């Protein structure tokens, strides 16, 4: 078979596809009570998220209790709001929760300033509406409506980006578990297994704050930044390895050294203090999140594979770090230069990165 006739490969599978074997293993051995409509018991869902040290790989590295609270919330009549700074795995956790509970993570509403009410309630096929009048056949269900009818988890990303009047469409759905269709004198009632996971960026406070009525219908779980450098290195290493397999990159065993360097730089600039606690630093305008660290390292691996010798080196990550740090062209270049001259230049074993960073900037 020639390259031109090879079947197209999916760039990124949904969680329930990528980890189908793990979900099947858990379902086979899961003898605990399951809420109606759930594919796994709450205990098995947490195991799926955190791993078991054997066949089940960790999807989230962080406090177990947070995941237990999140899963327990979804077993009640309360919806779940995952809140945190950018890059704290809110979307990632949301997807895996839906995959483990419903076997389907695709019932998704992406919140933006232009999100309309129809994205949460329903829309219409206007050709059929004009030809036949209002009917169920002319109605176009939203992901939320489909989740209600099928007893599955719906996901709403970046809820605080959605206009306030559209947000409040969720109030009746979450309180009454009903979605009225006044045009048809009808309604959709949620079946068991239905719930909603929303995510929100706490840097968006003041954009479209949730009303008190809507906030009361959510239990909020705040996902923190990784507590330690080792924890963050583990997260980045796992995600980079997964992305590398997806991109069909060769393994780079020595990459952990550069991963630790990227994580160290991000943590120091993010926290405004060197890891030894001796030097205070100015923080740049960007978030320097774990997700950005993953992106920097993955991009460096692609550079090393296609334009280097196959080993991840300082010059492969330097440009990516510069791009992540320098977001504000007025203030951030001076902050980055000061960090290079006062910290990186004097640090043992970092001379190669200092040279590469100066060249990249």
């Amino acid at each position: 078979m020639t390259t031109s006739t090879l079947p197209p490969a999916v760039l990124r599978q949904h969680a329930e596809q990528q980890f189908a074997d793990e979900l099947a293993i858990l379902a086979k051995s899961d003898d605990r009570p399951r809420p109606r409509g759930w594919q796994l018991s709450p205990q098995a869902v947490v195991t799926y998220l955190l791993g078991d040290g054997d066949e089940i790989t960790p999807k989230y590295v962080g406090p177990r209790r947070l995941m237990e609270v999140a899963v327990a919330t979804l077993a009640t009549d309360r919806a779940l709001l995952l809140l945190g700074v950018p890059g704290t795995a809110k979307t990632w956790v949301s997807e895996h929760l839906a995959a483990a509970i419903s076997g389907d993570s695709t019932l998704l509403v992406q919140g933006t300033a232009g999100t309309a009410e129809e994205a949460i309630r329903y829309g219409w096929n206007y050709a059929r509406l004009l030809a036949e009048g209002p009917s169920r056949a002319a109605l176009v269900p939203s992901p939320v409506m489909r989740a209600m009818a099928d007893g599955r988890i719906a996901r709403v990303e970046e809820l605080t980006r959605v206009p306030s009047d559209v947000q409040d469409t969720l109030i009746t759905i979450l309180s009454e578990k009903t979605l009225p269709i006044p045009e048809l004198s009808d309604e959709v009632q949620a079946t068991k297994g239905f719930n909603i996971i929303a995510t929100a960026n706490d840097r968006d406070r003041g954009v479209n704050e949730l009303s008190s009525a809507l906030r009361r219908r959510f239990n909020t779980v705040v996902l923190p930044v990784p507590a330690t450098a080792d924890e963050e290195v583990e997260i980045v290493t796992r995600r980079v390895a997964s992305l590398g397999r997806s991109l069909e990159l060769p393994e780079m065993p020595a990459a952990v050294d550069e991963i630790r360097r990227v994580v160290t730089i991000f943590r120091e600039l993010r926290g405004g203090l060197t890891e030894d606690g001796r030097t205070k630093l100015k923080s740049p305008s960007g978030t320097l999140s774990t997700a950005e660290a993953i992106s920097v390292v993955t991009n460096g691996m692609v550079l090393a594979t296609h334009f280097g010798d196959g080993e991840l080196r300082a010059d492969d990550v330097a440009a990516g770090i510069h791009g992540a740090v320098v977001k504000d062209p007025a203030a951030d270049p001076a902050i980055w230069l000061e960090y290079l001259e006062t910290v990186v230049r004097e640090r043992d074993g970092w001379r190669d990165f200092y040279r590469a960073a100066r060249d990249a900037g």
Side-chain angles (χ1 to χ4, degrees):
M1 184 179 288
T2 65
T3 302
S4 60
T5 59
L6 286 172
V10 176
L11 184 59
R12 182 188 183 277
Q13 293 181 314
H14 299 302
E16 60 272 20
Q17 299 168 332
Q18 184 178 356
F19 297 96
D21 291 344
E22 294 186 17
L23 290 168
I25 290 170
L26 285 167
K28 185 175 181 179
S29 61
D30 186 14
D31 57 1
R32 293 173 177 266
R34 305 180 188 182
R36 183 84 65 86
W38 284 39
Q39 304 292 308
L40 298 172
S41 68
Q43 183 72 36
V45 173
V46 172
T47 300
Y48 169 75
L49 285 164
L50 299 180
D52 65 354
D54 186 17
E55 296 177 296
I56 310 303
T57 59
K59 320 300 180 300
Y60 177 76
V61 177
R64 181 182 185 87
R65 195 59 173 171
L66 281 182
M67 294 300 101
E68 291 175 344
V69 171
V71 172
T73 293
L74 293 170
T76 70
D77 63 347
R78 306 269 291 180
L80 174 64
L81 176 63
L82 298 175
L83 184 67
V85 299
T88 48
K90 300 180 295 297
T91 297
W92 180 253
V93 170
S94 168
E95 179 185 2
H96 282 284
L97 283 170
I101 292 170
S102 298
D104 183 1
S105 64
T106 65
L107 297 172
L108 171 67
V109 176
Q110 178 59 58
T112 69
T115 300
E117 210 173 279
E118 289 80 3
I120 293 176
R121 297 175 71 238
Y122 52 85
W124 296 97
N125 179 328
Y126 285 103
R128 297 196 70 163
L129 185 64
L130 291 171
E132 305 169 9
S135 66
R136 278 288 187 139
L139 186 146
V140 179
S142 70
V144 175
M145 177 183 275
R146 288 161 52 205
M148 294 176 73
D150 297 341
R152 297 183 183 274
I153 299 291
R155 300 164 55 211
V156 181
E157 290 293 309
E158 303 292 354
L159 180 58
T160 49
R161 289 282 175 183
V162 177
S164 298
D165 57 329
V166 179
Q167 288 179 13
D168 286 344
T169 305
L170 289 169
I171 291 176
T172 300
I173 294 172
L174 295 178
S175 60
E176 304 296 330
K177 309 303 180 192
T178 297
L179 178 54
I181 311 174
E183 298 90 342
L184 303 179
S185 300
D186 199 357
E187 65 181 11
V188 173
Q189 290 185 299
T191 55
K192 289 187 179 294
F194 167 72
N195 213 325
I196 288 178
I197 305 172
T199 66
N201 180 345
D202 67 1
R203 289 203 172 193
D204 286 340
R205 285 177 179 167
V207 177
N208 289 306
E209 290 281 8
L210 303 187
S211 66
S212 59
L214 182 56
R215 189 175 289 277
R216 286 197 305 271
R217 285 156 176 84
F218 282 98
N219 275 356
T220 300
V221 171
V222 179
L223 298 184
V225 296
T228 66
D230 287 343
E231 191 175 282
E232 191 160 2
V233 168
E234 180 184 354
I235 294 168
V236 174
T237 302
R238 288 183 181 279
R239 287 290 293 127
V240 164
S242 176
L243 288 169
R245 288 191 293 271
S246 175
L247 296 172
E248 299 179 351
L249 299 175
E251 289 189 19
M252 297 184 188
V256 69
D257 295 331
E258 291 305 325
I259 290 173
R260 182 167 292 279
R261 177 144 51 191
V262 172
V263 167
T264 298
I265 292 169
F266 276 34
R267 290 182 70 87
E268 289 184 332
L269 287 172
R270 194 168 64 211
L273 191 69
T274 54
E275 62 181 355
D276 59 10
R278 294 179 179 177
T279 306
K280 288 187 177 181
L281 305 169
K282 295 175 183 176
S283 293
S285 58
T287 58
L288 299 179
S289 66
T290 307
E292 287 178 288
I294 292 166
S295 177
V296 166
V297 175
T298 303
N299 188 69
M301 289 174 64
V302 173
L303 284 171
T305 298
H306 297 295
F307 302 102
D309 61 2
E311 183 173 338
L312 189 65
R313 300 184 185 279
D315 58 350
D316 296 317
V317 297
I321 293 176
H322 180 272
V325 173
V326 180
K327 301 291 189 186
D328 179 354
D332 290 343
I335 293 173
W336 177 231
L337 182 60
E338 182 179 339
Y339 177 74
L340 289 177
E341 297 298 333
T342 61
V343 177
V344 174
R345 186 177 183 178
E346 306 301 325
R347 187 167 277 166
D348 289 342
W350 281 45
R351 195 70 185 175
D352 57 341
F353 179 79
Y354 173 76
R355 288 193 297 268
R358 288 305 306 263
D359 291 343

